[in-house]
């Protein structure tokens, strides 16, 4: 993907020559009481924190403890995806899917942890975390963005930071199949990218959005929680909205987007029935909608959507899904022979045959069609793993371990299928 120019000065941290100023500040409403049925996440904006008189827990790191900026920079240089930091716990980075203890850093105490929070949160946000025991947000350094989640545990407060590269990798750089590029030219309907947490869904979607941004004069609106990859407008006009900053409620932003003249709408997870209803409506009224689900296959994705509805509602919903769905891409990441990771996919394109199976409620039959429909751009997860193996990118053991049908995968590897 093409590189991303820096955000406006008011949101971008200062160069890393001095103390970190890429903190999360902005207009912050007081946290709702715990008795409230609906809580709105505290808005988060990267930017310098305000000066607070007698601010507690600032610059009170224990002896030998690094700054949070130093830890993030170290994780970035090691090529890690996440930092796991917590009171009275060893610092760990996630590297190529594995948790790695960082033995060169001392175990942080509570004062050190709150000094780290002080680098990326203002005092109202820290107090909000103390009141609600939860905090979600994002910040940006000059080398990477970070998605942040702070939470309380038995041992004390903890934090996970997901590193998001500023440079967006392209479809070619990710070695994605050609069908990903072809799907970007679709004019309307619903495209779902699915997979477990950490399977690279956001990276794949970012590559597809970047291709659209570079090639098509479209208007794309994204509704994210929080914003991860930042897309400056190129040939397309890109409008990114973050829940808690640019809108109070995800559902309100999604409904409003239909009145904002979009060609393409990118939403986060298809989290509930209302989101699915609005996404299907958008797809049926001439918009292309991208969404995600935490499912492992195309069949499970369709079943998950249908299970959001009561049994008597599922028949009409099957018709809506059959007419609106364009494709389901189920993705997982596997360790490669060079110590990196590569994506393996199951790709289902909604052809006439698959549409008919969905309408008849015979979703399980789709599984047998996918491996036989490579001419439509489809492939099963086993076929994708086999190609990675034949290209020398993964070992036989990795292929079998990550296969949803290991016995069939073993037969593929022995040339019996």
């Amino acid at each position: 993907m093409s590189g991303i120019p820096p955000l406006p000065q008011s949101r971008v941290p200062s160069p890393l020559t001095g103390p970190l100023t890429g903190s999360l500040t902005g207009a912050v409403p007081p946290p709702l009481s715990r008795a409230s049925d609906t809580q709105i996440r505290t808005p988060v904006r990267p930017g310098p924190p305000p000066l607070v008189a007698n601010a507690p827990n600032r610059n009170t790191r224990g002896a030998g403890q690094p700054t949070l900026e130093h830890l993030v920079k170290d994780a970035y240089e090691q090529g890690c995806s996440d930092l796991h930091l917590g009171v009275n716990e060893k610092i760990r980075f996630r590297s190529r899917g594995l948790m790695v203890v960082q033995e060169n850093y001392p175990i942080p105490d509570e004062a050190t942890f709150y000094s780290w929070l002080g680098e990326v949160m203002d005092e109202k946000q820290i107090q909000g975390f103390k009141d609600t025991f939860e905090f979600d947000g994002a910040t940006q350094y000059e080398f990477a963005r970070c998605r942040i989640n702070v939470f309380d545990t038995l041992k004390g407060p903890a934090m996970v930071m997901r590193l998001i590269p500023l440079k967006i990798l392209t479809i070619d750089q990710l070695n994605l199949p050609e069908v990903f590029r072809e799907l970007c030219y679709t004019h309307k309907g619903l495209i779902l990218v699915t997979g477990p947490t950490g399977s690279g869904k956001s990276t794949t979607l970012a590559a597809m959005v970047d291709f659209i941004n570079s090639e098509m004069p479209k208007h794309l609106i994204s509704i994210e929680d929080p914003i991860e990859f930042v897309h400056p407008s190129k040939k397309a006009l890109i409008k990114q909205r973050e829940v808690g900053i640019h809108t109070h409620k995800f559902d309100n932003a999604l409904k409003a987007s239909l009145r904002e003249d979009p060609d393409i709408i990118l939403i986060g997870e298809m989290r509930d029935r209302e989101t699915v209803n609005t996404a299907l409506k958008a797809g049926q009224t001439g918009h292309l909608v991208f969404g995600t689900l935490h499912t492992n296959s195309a069949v499970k994705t369709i079943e998950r959507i249908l299970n959001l509805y009561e049994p008597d509602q599922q028949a009409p919903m099957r018709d809506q899904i059959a007419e609106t769905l364009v494709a389901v891409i189920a993705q997982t990441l596997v360790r490669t022979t060079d110590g990196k990771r590569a994506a393996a996919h199951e790709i289902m394109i909604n052809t006439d045959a698959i549409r008919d199976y969905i309408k008849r409620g015979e979703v399980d039959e789709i599984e047998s069609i996918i491996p036989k429909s490579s001419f439509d751009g489809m492939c099963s997860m086993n076929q994708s793993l086999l190609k990675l193996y034949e290209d020398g990118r993964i070992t036989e053991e990795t292929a079998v371990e990550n296969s949803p049908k290991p016995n069939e995968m073993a037969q593929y590897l022995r040339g019996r299928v």
Side-chain angles (χ1 to χ4, degrees):
M1 290 185 174
S2 59
I4 296 179
L7 294 174
Q9 185 63 35
S10 62
R11 295 194 185 187
V12 181
S14 301
L16 298 179
T17 54
L20 174 65
T21 57
S23 304
L24 309 177
T25 65
V28 182
L32 296 177
S33 66
R34 294 189 194 175
S36 174
D37 292 332
T38 304
Q39 291 191 351
I40 299 173
R41 180 169 60 78
T42 303
V44 179
R45 288 184 184 274
L51 296 176
V52 181
N54 301 318
N57 299 320
R58 297 273 184 161
N59 301 318
T60 55
R61 294 192 311 276
Q65 292 284 359
T67 63
L68 182 62
E69 171 192 346
H70 178 89
L71 290 172
V72 174
K73 181 74 170 178
D74 187 15
Y76 173 79
E77 291 177 345
Q78 290 187 42
C80 299
S81 61
D82 301 86
L83 295 83
H84 290 255
L85 313 173
V87 173
N88 299 320
E89 290 278 9
K90 291 182 178 180
I91 293 171
R92 289 170 168 83
F93 297 165
R94 186 176 291 279
S95 177
R96 275 82 180 179
L98 301 177
M99 296 283 279
V100 181
V101 175
Q102 305 298 304
E103 299 286 3
N104 52 323
Y105 295 116
I107 295 175
D109 55 18
E110 187 166 338
T112 297
F113 184 86
Y114 276 99
S115 78
W116 291 341
L117 294 190
E119 293 185 38
V120 291
M121 297 162 63
D122 65 26
E123 291 302 325
K124 288 183 179 180
Q125 291 165 343
I126 293 175
Q127 187 59 49
F129 161 67
K130 291 179 179 179
D131 292 340
T132 65
F133 308 110
E134 308 282 353
F135 180 84
D136 273 313
T139 191
Q140 182 164 322
Y141 299 87
E142 67 175 17
F143 53 89
R145 280 179 66 80
C146 289
R147 190 175 72 200
I148 301 170
N149 180 267
V150 189
F151 54 100
D152 208 1
T153 75
L154 182 64
K155 286 192 173 183
M159 171 167 53
V160 176
M161 302 182 74
R162 166 67 57 86
L163 289 173
I164 303 166
L166 293 179
K167 178 176 173 58
I168 302 176
L169 297 177
T170 65
I171 289 176
D172 290 333
Q173 288 171 330
L174 292 173
N175 295 309
L176 299 179
E178 181 62 27
V179 68
F180 282 70
R181 189 178 279 103
E182 295 171 1
L183 288 171
C184 293
Y185 286 102
T186 308
H187 293 293
K188 63 180 181 178
L190 177 63
I191 297 175
L192 295 176
V193 180
T194 75
T197 300
S199 61
K201 297 186 296 295
S202 296
T203 301
T204 295
L205 275 174
M208 297 176 78
V209 169
D210 184 68
F211 177 76
I212 293 168
N213 194 15
S214 301
E215 300 293 331
M216 305 176 201
K218 302 275 190 177
H219 179 206
L220 185 149
I221 296 175
S222 76
I223 305 162
E224 303 174 68
D225 185 17
I227 290 172
E228 297 184 324
F229 292 92
V230 178
H231 298 270
S233 297
K234 293 187 253 186
K235 195 166 187 177
L237 175 63
I238 308 290
K239 297 293 185 184
Q240 294 181 264
R241 306 187 69 194
E242 181 168 325
V243 178
I245 295 180
H246 311 117
T247 180
H248 288 306
K249 291 185 65 179
F250 181 91
D251 295 332
N252 291 348
L254 182 55
K255 290 177 181 177
S257 68
L258 299 178
R259 302 187 295 272
E260 293 158 3
D261 188 34
D263 297 294
I264 301 167
I265 303 171
L266 187 150
I267 61 180
E269 184 181 359
M270 308 281 281
R271 58 186 74 189
D272 52 36
R273 190 185 308 180
E274 188 172 6
T275 302
V276 172
N277 286 339
T278 308
L280 290 173
K281 178 183 176 182
Q284 291 163 359
T285 53
H287 307 90
L288 179 60
V289 180
F290 289 96
T292 67
L293 272 174
H294 289 93
T295 47
N296 298 323
S297 70
V299 170
K300 289 179 181 177
T301 299
I302 297 170
E303 290 174 344
R304 174 75 62 85
I305 294 174
L306 288 172
N307 287 337
L308 293 172
Y309 298 86
E310 299 297 330
D312 61 331
Q313 299 174 313
Q314 290 186 8
M317 286 311 304
R318 281 197 297 269
D319 290 339
Q320 286 197 52
I321 293 169
E323 294 301 327
T324 309
L325 190 64
V326 174
V328 177
I329 300 165
Q331 178 168 306
T332 189
L333 291 180
V334 297
R335 183 178 290 272
T336 57
T337 52
D338 59 0
K340 298 180 181 180
R341 291 194 292 176
H345 306 94
E346 177 187 81
I347 303 170
M348 186 207 79
I349 307 298
N350 191 14
T351 60
D352 290 341
I354 287 180
R355 188 176 297 114
D356 189 49
Y357 278 125
I358 295 174
K359 286 183 176 181
R360 295 201 314 240
E362 300 174 1
V363 178
D364 288 340
E365 299 297 325
I366 294 172
E367 196 170 287
S368 62
I369 295 179
I370 292 174
K372 302 173 185 175
S373 304
S374 58
F375 50 90
D376 288 316
M378 297 192 229
C379 74
S380 68
M381 185 64 72
N382 275 355
Q383 288 173 324
S384 181
L385 289 167
L386 179 63
K387 186 177 188 306
L388 289 172
Y389 171 74
E390 290 175 340
D391 291 344
R393 300 186 66 195
I394 63 174
T395 64
E396 183 175 328
E397 292 76 13
T398 300
V400 173
E401 287 171 5
N402 289 276
S403 170
K405 297 180 177 180
N407 289 337
E408 181 187 83
M409 188 73 243
Q411 291 180 331
Y412 270 128
L413 295 170
R414 295 187 182 99
R416 296 177 183 173
V417 177

mmCIF file of all heavy atoms in Angstrom, residues 160-184:
data_model
loop_
_atom_site.group_PDB
_atom_site.id
_atom_site.type_symbol
_atom_site.label_atom_id
_atom_site.label_comp_id
_atom_site.label_asym_id
_atom_site.label_seq_id
_atom_site.Cartn_x
_atom_site.Cartn_y
_atom_site.Cartn_z
ATOM 1 N N VAL A 160 -3.074 -3.290 26.523
ATOM 2 C CA VAL A 160 -2.629 -3.930 25.285
ATOM 3 C C VAL A 160 -2.593 -2.855 24.208
ATOM 4 O O VAL A 160 -3.559 -2.102 24.043
ATOM 5 C CB VAL A 160 -3.557 -5.083 24.857
ATOM 6 C CG1 VAL A 160 -3.102 -5.660 23.519
ATOM 7 C CG2 VAL A 160 -3.578 -6.166 25.916
ATOM 8 N N MET A 161 -1.496 -2.786 23.482
ATOM 9 C CA MET A 161 -1.343 -1.826 22.392
ATOM 10 C C MET A 161 -1.100 -2.600 21.098
ATOM 11 O O MET A 161 -0.161 -3.395 21.005
ATOM 12 C CB MET A 161 -0.182 -0.869 22.658
ATOM 13 C CG MET A 161 -0.331 -0.083 23.949
ATOM 14 S SD MET A 161 1.032 1.084 24.233
ATOM 15 C CE MET A 161 0.640 2.363 23.031
ATOM 16 N N ARG A 162 -1.957 -2.398 20.117
ATOM 17 C CA ARG A 162 -1.811 -3.023 18.804
ATOM 18 C C ARG A 162 -1.121 -2.033 17.869
ATOM 19 O O ARG A 162 -1.581 -0.917 17.668
ATOM 20 C CB ARG A 162 -3.182 -3.406 18.256
ATOM 21 C CG ARG A 162 -3.244 -3.768 16.767
ATOM 22 C CD ARG A 162 -2.500 -5.054 16.454
ATOM 23 N NE ARG A 162 -2.952 -6.184 17.207
ATOM 24 C CZ ARG A 162 -3.982 -6.971 16.860
ATOM 25 N NH1 ARG A 162 -4.674 -6.717 15.768
ATOM 26 N NH2 ARG A 162 -4.299 -8.017 17.600
ATOM 27 N N LEU A 163 0.012 -2.446 17.310
ATOM 28 C CA LEU A 163 0.753 -1.587 16.392
ATOM 29 C C LEU A 163 0.126 -1.646 14.998
ATOM 30 O O LEU A 163 -0.122 -2.739 14.475
ATOM 31 C CB LEU A 163 2.214 -2.026 16.314
ATOM 32 C CG LEU A 163 3.071 -1.744 17.557
ATOM 33 C CD1 LEU A 163 4.439 -2.377 17.406
ATOM 34 C CD2 LEU A 163 3.219 -0.259 17.790
ATOM 35 N N ILE A 164 -0.115 -0.496 14.431
ATOM 36 C CA ILE A 164 -0.710 -0.397 13.098
ATOM 37 C C ILE A 164 0.250 0.403 12.230
ATOM 38 O O ILE A 164 0.486 1.585 12.499
ATOM 39 C CB ILE A 164 -2.075 0.302 13.147
ATOM 40 C CG1 ILE A 164 -3.009 -0.446 14.111
ATOM 41 C CG2 ILE A 164 -2.686 0.399 11.757
ATOM 42 C CD1 ILE A 164 -4.238 0.337 14.484
ATOM 43 N N PRO A 165 0.849 -0.198 11.217
ATOM 44 C CA PRO A 165 1.837 0.525 10.409
ATOM 45 C C PRO A 165 1.213 1.701 9.673
ATOM 46 O O PRO A 165 0.061 1.642 9.237
ATOM 47 C CB PRO A 165 2.364 -0.534 9.431
ATOM 48 C CG PRO A 165 1.297 -1.584 9.394
ATOM 49 C CD PRO A 165 0.653 -1.589 10.740
ATOM 50 N N LEU A 166 1.984 2.777 9.552
ATOM 51 C CA LEU A 166 1.512 3.935 8.795
ATOM 52 C C LEU A 166 1.490 3.629 7.300
ATOM 53 O O LEU A 166 0.643 4.135 6.573
ATOM 54 C CB LEU A 166 2.409 5.142 9.063
ATOM 55 C CG LEU A 166 2.355 5.713 10.490
ATOM 56 C CD1 LEU A 166 3.300 6.890 10.612
ATOM 57 C CD2 LEU A 166 0.949 6.131 10.858
ATOM 58 N N LYS A 167 2.418 2.802 6.850
ATOM 59 C CA LYS A 167 2.478 2.451 5.438
ATOM 60 C C LYS A 167 1.514 1.300 5.179
ATOM 61 O O LYS A 167 1.652 0.218 5.752
ATOM 62 C CB LYS A 167 3.900 2.057 5.038
ATOM 63 C CG LYS A 167 4.029 1.635 3.566
ATOM 64 C CD LYS A 167 5.467 1.358 3.194
ATOM 65 C CE LYS A 167 5.572 0.785 1.787
ATOM 66 N NZ LYS A 167 4.996 1.676 0.768
ATOM 67 N N ILE A 168 0.538 1.536 4.323
ATOM 68 C CA ILE A 168 -0.445 0.509 3.999
ATOM 69 C C ILE A 168 0.097 -0.358 2.871
ATOM 70 O O ILE A 168 0.443 0.134 1.798
ATOM 71 C CB ILE A 168 -1.776 1.157 3.568
ATOM 72 C CG1 ILE A 168 -2.302 2.054 4.692
ATOM 73 C CG2 ILE A 168 -2.789 0.093 3.210
ATOM 74 C CD1 ILE A 168 -3.559 2.799 4.324
ATOM 75 N N LEU A 169 0.151 -1.660 3.109
ATOM 76 C CA LEU A 169 0.627 -2.586 2.082
ATOM 77 C C LEU A 169 -0.446 -2.754 1.008
ATOM 78 O O LEU A 169 -1.645 -2.761 1.293
ATOM 79 C CB LEU A 169 0.966 -3.935 2.702
ATOM 80 C CG LEU A 169 2.107 -3.934 3.729
ATOM 81 C CD1 LEU A 169 2.284 -5.319 4.324
ATOM 82 C CD2 LEU A 169 3.399 -3.460 3.095
ATOM 83 N N THR A 170 0.009 -2.881 -0.227
ATOM 84 C CA THR A 170 -0.926 -3.011 -1.346
ATOM 85 C C THR A 170 -1.378 -4.466 -1.514
ATOM 86 O O THR A 170 -0.833 -5.386 -0.889
ATOM 87 C CB THR A 170 -0.260 -2.549 -2.652
ATOM 88 O OG1 THR A 170 0.813 -3.441 -2.962
ATOM 89 C CG2 THR A 170 0.280 -1.131 -2.521
ATOM 90 N N ILE A 171 -2.369 -4.653 -2.382
ATOM 91 C CA ILE A 171 -2.841 -6.000 -2.697
ATOM 92 C C ILE A 171 -1.695 -6.849 -3.227
ATOM 93 O O ILE A 171 -1.547 -8.026 -2.861
ATOM 94 C CB ILE A 171 -3.992 -5.928 -3.716
ATOM 95 C CG1 ILE A 171 -5.249 -5.363 -3.040
ATOM 96 C CG2 ILE A 171 -4.282 -7.300 -4.325
ATOM 97 C CD1 ILE A 171 -6.429 -5.160 -3.972
ATOM 98 N N ASP A 172 -0.845 -6.271 -4.071
ATOM 99 C CA ASP A 172 0.300 -7.012 -4.620
ATOM 100 C C ASP A 172 1.314 -7.342 -3.535
ATOM 101 O O ASP A 172 1.850 -8.456 -3.489
ATOM 102 C CB ASP A 172 0.969 -6.208 -5.734
ATOM 103 C CG ASP A 172 0.105 -6.132 -6.991
ATOM 104 O OD1 ASP A 172 -0.703 -7.059 -7.202
ATOM 105 O OD2 ASP A 172 0.239 -5.149 -7.740
ATOM 106 N N GLN A 173 1.605 -6.389 -2.665
ATOM 107 C CA GLN A 173 2.590 -6.625 -1.612
ATOM 108 C C GLN A 173 2.128 -7.694 -0.631
ATOM 109 O O GLN A 173 2.941 -8.398 -0.042
ATOM 110 C CB GLN A 173 2.880 -5.315 -0.876
ATOM 111 C CG GLN A 173 3.686 -4.325 -1.700
ATOM 112 C CD GLN A 173 3.770 -2.960 -1.052
ATOM 113 O OE1 GLN A 173 2.859 -2.535 -0.332
ATOM 114 N NE2 GLN A 173 4.863 -2.247 -1.292
ATOM 115 N N LEU A 174 0.830 -7.825 -0.459
ATOM 116 C CA LEU A 174 0.287 -8.861 0.430
ATOM 117 C C LEU A 174 0.101 -10.201 -0.281
ATOM 118 O O LEU A 174 -0.321 -11.178 0.334
ATOM 119 C CB LEU A 174 -1.062 -8.405 0.999
ATOM 120 C CG LEU A 174 -1.023 -7.234 1.981
ATOM 121 C CD1 LEU A 174 -2.436 -6.782 2.321
ATOM 122 C CD2 LEU A 174 -0.260 -7.603 3.238
ATOM 123 N N ASN A 175 0.407 -10.238 -1.601
ATOM 124 C CA ASN A 175 0.236 -11.459 -2.385
ATOM 125 C C ASN A 175 -1.194 -11.986 -2.338
ATOM 126 O O ASN A 175 -1.435 -13.207 -2.288
ATOM 127 C CB ASN A 175 1.214 -12.554 -1.907
ATOM 128 C CG ASN A 175 2.652 -12.182 -2.162
ATOM 129 O OD1 ASN A 175 3.016 -11.802 -3.272
ATOM 130 N ND2 ASN A 175 3.480 -12.272 -1.125
ATOM 131 N N LEU A 176 -2.161 -11.069 -2.369
ATOM 132 C CA LEU A 176 -3.564 -11.482 -2.362
ATOM 133 C C LEU A 176 -3.974 -11.940 -3.757
ATOM 134 O O LEU A 176 -3.485 -11.424 -4.764
ATOM 135 C CB LEU A 176 -4.446 -10.318 -1.911
ATOM 136 C CG LEU A 176 -4.182 -9.787 -0.499
ATOM 137 C CD1 LEU A 176 -5.111 -8.614 -0.194
ATOM 138 C CD2 LEU A 176 -4.356 -10.883 0.542
ATOM 139 N N PRO A 177 -4.886 -12.892 -3.838
ATOM 140 C CA PRO A 177 -5.348 -13.363 -5.159
ATOM 141 C C PRO A 177 -5.973 -12.241 -5.985
ATOM 142 O O PRO A 177 -6.477 -11.254 -5.437
ATOM 143 C CB PRO A 177 -6.386 -14.435 -4.795
ATOM 144 C CG PRO A 177 -6.032 -14.869 -3.414
ATOM 145 C CD PRO A 177 -5.469 -13.660 -2.736
ATOM 146 N N GLU A 178 -5.968 -12.406 -7.294
ATOM 147 C CA GLU A 178 -6.486 -11.385 -8.210
ATOM 148 C C GLU A 178 -7.958 -11.071 -7.965
ATOM 149 O O GLU A 178 -8.413 -9.953 -8.214
ATOM 150 C CB GLU A 178 -6.283 -11.854 -9.655
ATOM 151 C CG GLU A 178 -6.755 -10.873 -10.719
ATOM 152 C CD GLU A 178 -6.012 -9.546 -10.673
ATOM 153 O OE1 GLU A 178 -4.836 -9.534 -10.221
ATOM 154 O OE2 GLU A 178 -6.601 -8.522 -11.082
ATOM 155 N N VAL A 179 -8.693 -12.034 -7.417
ATOM 156 C CA VAL A 179 -10.121 -11.820 -7.195
ATOM 157 C C VAL A 179 -10.367 -10.679 -6.207
ATOM 158 O O VAL A 179 -11.400 -10.005 -6.257
ATOM 159 C CB VAL A 179 -10.791 -13.124 -6.709
ATOM 160 C CG1 VAL A 179 -10.317 -13.496 -5.305
ATOM 161 C CG2 VAL A 179 -12.305 -13.000 -6.761
ATOM 162 N N PHE A 180 -9.401 -10.388 -5.325
ATOM 163 C CA PHE A 180 -9.561 -9.273 -4.383
ATOM 164 C C PHE A 180 -9.654 -7.951 -5.150
ATOM 165 O O PHE A 180 -10.447 -7.076 -4.806
ATOM 166 C CB PHE A 180 -8.384 -9.225 -3.413
ATOM 167 C CG PHE A 180 -8.457 -10.241 -2.312
ATOM 168 C CD1 PHE A 180 -8.298 -11.591 -2.573
ATOM 169 C CD2 PHE A 180 -8.686 -9.855 -0.997
ATOM 170 C CE1 PHE A 180 -8.360 -12.531 -1.568
ATOM 171 C CE2 PHE A 180 -8.753 -10.787 0.027
ATOM 172 C CZ PHE A 180 -8.589 -12.132 -0.266
ATOM 173 N N ARG A 181 -8.831 -7.816 -6.172
ATOM 174 C CA ARG A 181 -8.854 -6.600 -6.991
ATOM 175 C C ARG A 181 -10.175 -6.520 -7.778
ATOM 176 O O ARG A 181 -10.771 -5.449 -7.897
ATOM 177 C CB ARG A 181 -7.645 -6.593 -7.925
ATOM 178 C CG ARG A 181 -7.439 -5.289 -8.682
ATOM 179 C CD ARG A 181 -6.197 -5.338 -9.549
ATOM 180 N NE ARG A 181 -4.983 -5.076 -8.772
ATOM 181 C CZ ARG A 181 -4.119 -6.012 -8.374
ATOM 182 N NH1 ARG A 181 -4.331 -7.279 -8.672
ATOM 183 N NH2 ARG A 181 -3.051 -5.689 -7.694
ATOM 184 N N GLU A 182 -10.621 -7.662 -8.303
ATOM 185 C CA GLU A 182 -11.866 -7.680 -9.072
ATOM 186 C C GLU A 182 -13.066 -7.312 -8.196
ATOM 187 O O GLU A 182 -13.995 -6.630 -8.646
ATOM 188 C CB GLU A 182 -12.060 -9.064 -9.684
ATOM 189 C CG GLU A 182 -11.004 -9.434 -10.729
ATOM 190 C CD GLU A 182 -11.074 -10.885 -11.159
ATOM 191 O OE1 GLU A 182 -11.975 -11.603 -10.647
ATOM 192 O OE2 GLU A 182 -10.251 -11.307 -11.984
ATOM 193 N N LEU A 183 -13.062 -7.740 -6.946
ATOM 194 C CA LEU A 183 -14.169 -7.427 -6.049
ATOM 195 C C LEU A 183 -14.285 -5.925 -5.788
ATOM 196 O O LEU A 183 -15.382 -5.416 -5.532
ATOM 197 C CB LEU A 183 -14.005 -8.172 -4.716
ATOM 198 C CG LEU A 183 -14.246 -9.684 -4.749
ATOM 199 C CD1 LEU A 183 -13.849 -10.318 -3.432
ATOM 200 C CD2 LEU A 183 -15.706 -9.993 -5.071
ATOM 201 N N CYS A 184 -13.160 -5.222 -5.848
ATOM 202 C CA CYS A 184 -13.179 -3.777 -5.596
ATOM 203 C C CYS A 184 -13.971 -3.024 -6.661
ATOM 204 O O CYS A 184 -14.412 -1.891 -6.429
ATOM 205 C CB CYS A 184 -11.755 -3.228 -5.524
ATOM 206 S SG CYS A 184 -10.803 -3.804 -4.106
#
